Amino acid sequence: MKKKFIALGMAAVMVIGATQAVGATGLSEAKSKKSEAQSNLNSVQSQISSIESKQAALQEQIDALDAELVEVIVNINTTKTDIENKKVELAQAEADLEEAKETEEEQYESMKERIVYMYENGDSSFLTALMGADSFADVLNKLESYSTVYDYDRSLLVEYQNTKLEVENLVAEVQEEEAQLEEIQATYEEQQAELETMKSEKSSELEDFDAKLAEAESLAAQYEETIAEQNEIIAAAQAAQVTTTVGSVTSGSSSVSSSSTTSGSSSSSTSTDTSDSSTSSSSSTTSSSSSSSTVSGSGSAVASYACQFIGNPYVYGGTSLTNGCDCSGFVMSVYAHFGVSLPHSSSALRSVGYAVSVSDMQPGDIVCYSGHVGIYVGNNTIVNASNSNPYPAGGIKYTSATYKSIVAVRRIF
């Protein structure tokens, strides 16, 4: 019978081992995919930062081009107004020039007529004028009149000629200024065309960056989704491993209990008298005690028993595994089931049993934190009564053993 139980135990261990190996493979693959996705995400996020930096620099260049373009357009409009004003000024100057030319021509013709008249009449006219004089003073006056008329005609003609020349110079000056303004306008228009071309190229380049940024952000979202999926797979695999470990602990505990009962019954049936029975009972008790101190499944039995209460509520100061308990009350009540009396204090639990290292933790070990305590169940997981997130917000649940720094690990069995 004993051999049969051993064989069943070995078979169970092999099945559990195979299951754990498959789970470990899936967990390893999920972690590998998560690591790869995280690496890719970091690379894409670096690209996004680079693209955004280039976008910002390019936008500054576009803004500078816009400012320069606005200034050039203002200059073009100002120059156009100046050209229009010069055209009006030139039209007036040309009109003045035509008037000066006509006046000069009229004066020139009048003077020629007077000169011809005086020449054709000769000295007789001059003598007649002298004979008609009443006195010498009158003669002088007449002579002076002839001279004055001549001088007047000449000075007037010179004045009109000078006026015409000034107006001609003004026309030439205005024409030159208009030409310069038109040249300036042409230069501004060339600058405007160049600036608009540059802005168009920069805007096109910015659109390319926008497309690249959108593509990179899409990739980042995909990698984040992959990481989230792998996190779910990892959590599920870890939970499955914990469940498998707990199942094996329960099975092992049942087998040991059954074997112990059968052995005890056999011992009882072979007793011949009261004295022998007492001796036999004492021997059995010693054997059982010895077995309890060497079987590693005792800590696993504690872990298995503790996991039965997952989902029950958290109650501050409570000690009921079904109606509600706090972290130290949970540990105390679980171990009370195995006949071990422990204090109802997370800090006091740091001194019970004997210390083991974090790297040597086994199911059933009491894991102590600052202000908290739980029972290790394997696969870097504890079962504990907690009043914090994640779901469930408060209650008996699984939590990562390294969710925060471990202060001490104590072993009872």
Side-chain angles (χ1 to χ4, degrees):
M1 193 68 176
K2 206 170 183 183
K3 291 181 179 179
K4 183 177 180 180
F5 279 119
I6 292 172
L8 287 173
M10 290 180 66
V13 169
M14 290 176 66
V15 171
I16 292 167
T19 304
Q20 288 179 337
V22 171
T25 301
L27 183 60
S28 176
E29 183 179 353
K31 287 182 176 179
S32 177
K33 287 182 178 179
K34 176 186 174 181
S35 177
E36 181 182 357
Q38 186 64 58
S39 176
N40 290 335
L41 177 61
N42 293 340
S43 176
V44 170
Q45 287 176 334
S46 177
Q47 291 177 19
I48 289 174
S49 297
S50 176
I51 290 171
E52 288 176 340
S53 176
K54 290 178 180 178
Q55 275 184 316
L58 192 57
Q59 188 61 57
E60 287 182 3
Q61 294 177 20
I62 291 174
D63 292 342
L65 287 174
D66 270 334
E68 191 174 351
L69 188 57
V70 167
E71 184 179 354
V72 168
I73 291 173
V74 169
N75 289 337
I76 288 174
N77 291 334
T78 301
T79 304
K80 284 182 179 178
T81 301
D82 291 343
I83 289 174
E84 292 300 321
N85 292 336
K86 283 299 174 185
K87 287 183 181 296
V88 172
E89 188 178 344
L90 179 60
Q92 182 61 49
E94 288 176 342
D96 291 343
L97 178 60
E98 290 301 320
E99 183 179 351
K101 286 180 178 179
E102 290 175 1
T103 302
E104 180 203 17
E105 188 67 25
E106 289 174 0
Q107 180 60 24
Y108 180 63
E109 292 299 328
S110 297
M111 188 183 72
K112 284 197 301 183
E113 288 178 1
R114 284 192 289 272
I115 291 172
V116 169
Y117 175 79
M118 291 173 66
Y119 177 76
E120 288 177 348
N121 287 280
D123 292 337
S124 60
S125 177
F126 182 69
L127 291 175
T128 301
L130 290 177
M131 293 296 295
D134 296 332
S135 63
F136 183 69
D138 190 23
V139 172
L140 292 177
N141 285 337
K142 289 183 180 295
L143 289 175
E144 185 177 359
S145 294
Y146 275 104
S147 177
T148 300
V149 169
Y150 175 78
D151 289 341
Y152 173 76
D153 282 340
R154 183 174 181 81
S155 64
L156 195 60
L157 180 60
V158 170
E159 181 181 348
Y160 286 145
Q161 286 177 337
N162 289 336
T163 299
K164 186 187 74 170
L165 182 60
E166 288 176 3
V167 175
E168 285 177 345
N169 291 336
L170 178 61
V171 168
E173 182 179 344
V174 172
Q175 286 175 337
E176 183 178 356
E177 290 175 355
E178 181 184 14
Q180 289 176 350
L181 288 171
E182 288 175 346
E183 184 178 350
I184 291 171
Q185 182 182 10
T187 301
Y188 282 141
E189 287 173 348
E190 287 178 3
Q191 290 180 3
Q192 180 183 5
E194 290 175 0
L195 289 171
E196 287 176 345
T197 300
M198 290 173 66
K199 180 182 175 182
S200 177
E201 291 173 353
K202 298 291 183 183
S203 297
S204 178
E205 191 175 348
L206 189 61
E207 289 176 0
D208 290 341
F209 279 129
D210 288 339
K212 289 178 181 178
L213 181 61
E215 183 180 354
E217 288 176 341
S218 176
L219 281 174
Q222 292 175 23
Y223 290 135
E224 287 172 350
E225 184 177 351
T226 299
I227 290 170
E229 289 174 353
Q230 298 311 311
N231 280 336
E232 290 179 1
I233 293 171
I234 290 169
Q238 288 177 338
Q241 286 185 354
V242 169
T243 302
T244 301
T245 301
V246 170
S248 69
V249 166
T250 304
S251 175
S253 177
S254 299
S255 296
V256 170
S257 177
S258 176
S259 176
S260 176
T261 301
T262 304
S263 176
S265 297
S266 174
S267 235
S268 241
S269 65
T270 56
S271 295
T272 56
D273 53 35
T274 305
S275 178
D276 290 339
S277 177
S278 298
T279 302
S280 201
S281 175
S282 176
S283 176
S284 176
T285 301
T286 302
S287 175
S288 176
S289 176
S290 174
S291 175
S292 176
S293 65
T294 57
V295 174
S296 61
S298 295
S300 296
V302 171
S304 176
Y305 179 74
C307 290
Q308 295 178 27
F309 303 100
I310 288 175
N312 289 341
Y314 174 94
V315 174
Y316 178 75
T319 58
S320 173
L321 296 173
T322 54
N323 297 325
C325 58
D326 58 15
C327 63
S328 57
F330 172 69
V331 174
M332 181 186 75
S333 298
V334 167
Y335 269 95
H337 177 74
F338 294 90
V340 178
S341 179
L342 296 177
H344 189 181
S345 166
S346 60
S347 58
L349 286 170
R350 299 177 194 172
S351 302
V352 301
Y354 59 95
V356 295
S357 65
V358 174
S359 61
D360 192 35
M361 287 192 299
Q362 294 180 8
D365 289 348
I366 300 172
V367 184
C368 304
Y369 307 89
S370 176
H372 191 61
V373 67
I375 297 173
Y376 189 68
V377 296
N379 295 313
N380 194 44
T381 304
I382 61 169
V383 60
N384 63 131
S386 171
N387 195 31
S388 61
N389 288 324
Y391 175 84
I396 300 172
K397 59 185 179 181
Y398 290 123
T399 303
S400 170
T402 53
Y403 84 103
K404 68 176 182 176
S405 298
I406 297 174
V407 175
V409 179
R410 310 299 295 186
R411 184 168 296 166
I412 303 299
F413 296 121

